Amino acid sequence: MGNQQTFAALAWQGKGKVTRRERFLAEMDAVIPWSRLLALIEPHYPKAGNGRQPLGLEKMLRLYFLQQWFNLSDPQAEDAIYDNESMRRFARIELGDEVVPDESTILRFRHLLEQHGLTQAIFDAVADLLEERRLLLRAGTIVDATIIAAPSSTKNATATRDPEMKQARKGKNWHFGMKLHIGADKRGIVHTVRATAASVADITQLPALLHGQERELFGDQAYWKEDDRALFEASGVRYRINRRPTAQRPLSERWRRINRARSRTRARGEHAFRVVKQLWGFAKVRYRGLAKNLVRAQLARQWDVKAPA
């Protein structure tokens, strides 16, 4: 960053009040393992040559996080750097001294991460950091799923629905979109995220949501399967999935009490969906296709802190 600061930056420094957004960005700046994440991306990032010079990798990564946290499109992310001083400071950009990435540059960086599967690598690096700091517990896993809505209308440029999105019935209502599946520890910290069409049954994703070190497994009735219970318990895993009643065999009062007790732990997994949907604004898909929306879900769920204002 250059030595000269703009009048806006000087005024911002002297304003006195610290906003929720500033506090949030300061927390993120402190906890994100920047050197570890930059080392993951650097081998794939364009090197300086005779053509157009690439912008700084850390600057692009910081801007990418801003884009995901604040639910910004590529043009909106570019505009935000011009409009908001706290975002500029987080991205370490000083107007007048440095080039502000335009929407095409932001798009190319996002595609670079997607192309090389780097968002999954970032997600794994953060999980490793949480485990190193004893913030991620491996003893038990909570599994859960939620539907993310997608536009069902065909009144768009292609006159088609997204072919990777499907309909699913929940209760008496039908929903069109995708489904996010998570595996979380017993405090609700997510270690695994998967994405499918909304029509895919929750239980089919169970194996992909486990890390293999579980001693307990929690989930709602959608995951109950007697054969699974026998297999897990034979391998020493306590099967705490809520038991499902059948028409021939309704739940006894004893099993209803057991289910309620299990749900007190299982409900912590639902906190992840509150973060993703309510705090990060991911109640609807932003992109076509499952892969890009999975990327957004992974990054949105990594930082379980107060939402920015």
Side-chain angles (χ1 to χ4, degrees):
M1 184 177 291
N3 294 325
Q4 299 297 319
Q5 291 187 311
T6 63
F7 288 117
L10 293 171
W12 187 88
Q13 289 178 343
K15 64 183 173 52
K17 179 178 173 59
V18 177
T19 66
R20 288 179 61 204
R21 176 177 291 174
E22 292 169 53
R23 286 196 297 272
F24 166 77
L25 292 176
E27 290 174 7
M28 294 300 93
D29 201 8
V31 302
I32 292 176
W34 293 109
S35 59
R36 191 178 303 190
L37 301 187
L38 292 171
L40 289 171
I41 303 169
E42 195 277 332
H44 307 280
Y45 196 64
K47 305 299 187 291
N50 296 326
R52 185 175 182 179
Q53 299 299 300
L55 298 178
L57 172 55
E58 183 173 346
K59 180 191 303 183
M60 294 305 303
L61 181 60
R62 286 172 174 271
L63 183 52
Y64 181 69
F65 277 125
L66 289 173
Q67 185 178 17
Q68 304 306 317
W69 291 332
F70 294 95
N71 192 22
L72 303 173
S73 65
D74 299 327
Q76 288 172 335
E78 179 187 355
D79 290 346
I81 295 300
Y82 287 104
D83 290 342
N84 191 278
E85 181 65 28
S86 61
M87 289 188 179
R88 282 198 295 273
R89 291 176 71 86
F90 179 83
R92 299 187 175 178
I93 293 174
E94 189 70 42
L95 294 181
D97 287 347
E98 300 190 58
V99 175
V100 175
D102 61 23
E103 61 180 274
S104 297
T105 303
I106 296 169
L107 173 66
R108 285 195 296 271
F109 185 75
R110 182 162 54 80
H111 285 176
L112 174 80
L113 298 185
E114 294 165 2
Q115 177 184 352
H116 296 286
L118 294 173
T119 51
Q120 181 64 53
I122 291 171
F123 185 87
D124 292 342
V126 172
D128 290 344
L129 176 68
L130 293 174
E131 191 168 12
E132 287 171 14
R133 297 184 178 182
R134 301 179 183 273
L135 297 175
L136 178 61
L137 305 178
R138 293 284 187 178
T141 284
I142 302 167
V143 292
D144 208 347
T146 192
I147 294 174
I148 306 294
S152 58
S153 173
T154 58
K155 295 179 180 179
N156 52 51
T158 62
T160 59
R161 289 180 173 184
D162 185 337
E164 296 187 26
M165 305 293 166
K166 302 295 181 183
Q167 282 199 139
R169 187 174 180 176
K170 188 173 182 180
K172 296 182 179 180
N173 299 317
W174 286 90
H175 303 267
F176 181 78
M178 63 178 285
K179 189 176 285 186
L180 286 180
H181 308 261
I182 64 161
D185 74 4
K186 289 175 65 176
R187 292 174 300 177
I189 298 177
V190 172
H191 57 71
T192 308
V193 184
R194 295 290 182 266
T196 67
S199 57
V200 172
D202 296 356
I203 195 171
T204 64
Q205 300 304 301
L206 177 60
L209 301 177
L210 306 180
H211 49 64
Q213 300 175 40
E214 286 85 4
R215 294 198 294 272
E216 288 183 293
L217 177 61
F218 295 84
D220 64 27
Q221 294 177 0
Y223 296 93
W224 172 269
K225 187 177 179 181
E226 179 59 30
D227 289 346
D228 284 353
R229 184 197 63 77
L231 287 172
F232 278 109
E233 292 187 352
S235 62
V237 178
R238 292 187 288 274
Y239 192 74
R240 304 296 193 231
I241 302 293
N242 284 20
R243 184 179 286 267
R244 181 191 301 162
T246 65
Q248 296 77 24
R249 191 174 183 179
L251 290 181
S252 65
E253 178 57 32
R254 172 177 173 269
W255 272 109
R256 283 196 291 269
R257 289 198 303 270
I258 291 172
N259 278 359
R260 285 195 294 270
R262 292 175 175 179
S263 292
R264 285 193 285 273
T265 298
R266 180 187 60 78
R268 295 169 191 155
E270 297 176 353
H271 175 68
F273 298 134
R274 177 178 176 273
V275 172
V276 168
K277 287 185 169 182
Q278 297 183 19
L279 304 188
W280 299 118
F282 194 12
K284 296 181 179 180
V285 301
R286 175 175 287 281
Y287 309 108
R288 286 176 70 87
L290 296 174
K292 292 182 178 180
N293 287 293
L294 173 60
V295 165
R296 186 182 171 205
Q298 288 172 329
L299 289 176
R301 187 58 194 93
Q302 285 177 349
W303 313 107
D304 188 5
V305 295
K306 292 182 179 178

